[in-house]
Amino acid sequence: MSSQPLNLPQRPRRLRRTETLRKMVRETTLSVDDLIYPMFVMEGEEEKVEIASMPGCYRYSLDLLLEEIAEVSRLGINAVALFPVIPENQKDDTGTESYNPEGLIQETVKAIKKAVPEILIITDVALDPFTTHGHDGLVDENGKILNDQTLEVLVKMALSQAEAGTDFVAPSDMMDGRIGAIRTALDAEGYINVGILAYSAKYASAYYGPFRDALDSAPKFGDKKTYQMDAANAKEALKEIELDIAEGADIIMVKPALAYLDIICQVKAATNLPVAAYDVSGEYAMIKAAAQYGWIDEKKVILETLTSMKRAGADLILTYFAKEVALMLM
């Protein structure tokens, strides 16, 4: 004997009844157009070295990097973010290699523009890959990070990247005033169309470990807490993005993403600029490790994780999963 149905005024489950219905009313959609692929480039030829703490991610010599970028472009990924692996003999205390017009990043940008001109290139502006001490700024004899002196080097670095042909410079150093200094210098030299993707809310996070392994850029002393943000702070993030916007940023970013979805949401509500989120190396490594043990459905967790970033308000996502996601979404 069947019971009579309750006379409920609303039944939300009606819209979940079939996959077609669920797709029709879906509030957040992840697209390949949302993705930026971070990539590591190193010197040499015919070299592709897997990063132990980031399974499936590699350091590429330029020749193989170009092949990979061509494949990435065919998959519909529109942008790559470049990070250089600098040999120890090219590092010094002041990061002079960072603005070498014939340096690794500069030559890589030129080669990509020639080989795959349609891809958008984003280049990192920070000193840690280029310095012997592994910090993002110049350091005095007492170990203090020097803000204003660092800006002079960052400006040289950004200008050299612009001259090479980058589309966006991405200051990730968290020095005060660097967006304004770089924007002023770019405009003065005629690079008015080179954009700035600002790491506006970059936290002093424990999630960066695998990335530092990839670049061998961990600080040799101390930590980065005097310039990267305290993980407990939210209002400070809004102050940082307000300053970066006033100084000329075109896109603002929150890094990391997964543990800072609340920050992404607040930042999105506070600005009309595009908001990027960086799905960082530690987030990537945790999913990969759990998948290797068979504890999770890797593909479903990847899509759910990136969708959460979109749902929080991210317009763009830098993610090492970009190529895998592009294949899933085809």
Side-chain angles (χ1 to χ4, degrees), residues 89-153:
N89 63 3
Q90 293 180 16
K91 298 181 180 183
D92 58 30
D93 288 347
T94 57
T96 53
E97 181 64 19
S98 68
Y99 53 88
N100 177 1
E102 298 179 354
L104 178 59
I105 280 294
Q106 290 80 359
E107 291 300 307
T108 299
V109 170
K110 294 172 190 175
I112 295 171
K113 282 297 180 185
K114 183 176 180 180
V116 193
E118 64 273 18
I119 204 88
L120 187 141
I121 302 174
I122 300 166
T123 44
D124 184 56
V125 178
L127 296 184
D128 51 326
F130 300 93
T131 56
T132 51
H133 47 72
H135 277 285
D136 296 41
L138 303 183
V139 180
D140 71 8
E141 63 275 9
N142 299 313
K144 179 181 177 181
I145 309 301
L146 302 172
N147 191 95
D148 295 3
Q149 294 90 328
T150 298
L151 297 187
E152 297 177 13
V153 185

Side-chain angles (χ1 to χ4, degrees), residues 55 283-298 301:
E283 297 165 357
Y284 174 91
M286 288 192 300
I287 291 175
K288 285 292 182 180
Q292 285 178 347
Y293 278 98
W295 294 340
I296 60 172
D297 184 316
E298 182 178 357
V301 170

